Amino acid sequence: MKIEIDEKNFELMLEYEQIKKRIRLLAIQMNVDFENRIPVFIGVLNGSFIFLADLIKEIHISSEVSFVKVSSYEGDKSSGKIKKEIGLQMSLKNRDVIIVEDIVDSGKTLEYLLEMIKKENPASVHVCTLLFKPESLKVKIDEINYIGFEIADEFVVGYGLDYNGLGRNLRDIYKAVKA
């Protein structure tokens, strides 16, 4: 199936049923890894909100949820400049923190978030990302412990990810068609 968003063409990459199955597996692992602990899941807005909502429904241990908002994208490219729009709203001292990202590509935004969170002296920090582009990674990040899908260096939309603010509401994930 193909779609068009803001004059850019996309084709189906991951169906919602595949995404749901993978989220269930990630949650099972986290339920085991954080048994008898109370982690705080920090969703990175705007892209992670759908993923985090589905993930947290599968988490059966006690946990908390909070959000931060940072941005670096302009259109379909990262600007390289990270802008904090909403900061931490709670203390993370001695807490187990799980940063929930929609996608990790260059890793620059995640590196910025990790520095910000580590200043709070958490007990541990882990990263859960729905999509990971290993070919695009520009910085080494050891905290990426939970990966939904590894994908090629392609621009994607849907399931929370957008193109110029559009397409977040799509159930499936689509990749840009090369011109």
Side-chain angles (χ1 to χ4, degrees), residues 147-163:
I147 298 171
F149 301 92
E150 283 192 11
I151 63 170
D153 188 11
E154 298 178 293
F155 188 76
V156 292
V157 298
Y159 197 74
L161 298 127
D162 75 302
Y163 174 60

Side-chain angles (χ1 to χ4, degrees), residues 89-147:
Q89 304 295 311
M90 64 190 306
S91 171
L92 299 177
K93 186 174 176 68
N94 298 321
R95 299 294 307 272
D96 293 301
V97 175
I98 302 169
I99 300 170
V100 180
E101 277 275 28
D102 55 350
I103 189 166
V104 174
D105 44 34
S106 73
K108 293 289 192 181
T109 301
L110 187 52
E111 180 182 52
Y112 173 85
L113 284 170
L114 286 164
E115 286 175 18
M116 183 176 79
I117 288 169
K118 286 178 179 177
K119 287 178 185 171
E120 296 285 314
N121 297 313
S124 68
V125 182
H126 306 269
V127 174
C128 175
T129 184
L130 177 63
L131 302 174
F132 178 53
K133 295 181 182 179
E135 297 168 21
S136 303
L137 201 61
K138 305 266 189 280
V139 293
K140 187 175 186 304
I141 299 175
D142 296 323
E143 293 85 355
I144 302 174
N145 303 102
Y146 306 97
I147 298 171

Side-chain angles (χ1 to χ4, degrees), residues 3-5 10 16 19 44-51 54 69-75 85 101-103 130 155-174:
I3 61 167
E4 184 179 308
I5 299 174
F10 295 87
Y16 180 60
I19 297 166
V44 182
L45 294 173
N46 285 338
S48 75
F49 77 103
I50 293 175
F51 173 42
D54 284 348
K69 184 173 183 179
V70 292
S71 60
S72 66
Y73 266 80
E74 292 170 3
E85 297 176 22
E101 277 275 28
D102 55 350
I103 189 166
L130 177 63
F155 188 76
V156 292
V157 298
Y159 197 74
L161 298 127
D162 75 302
Y163 174 60
N164 289 337
L166 303 172
R168 288 189 198 282
N169 60 313
L170 299 167
R171 287 171 50 97
D172 305 314
I173 295 176
Y174 295 82

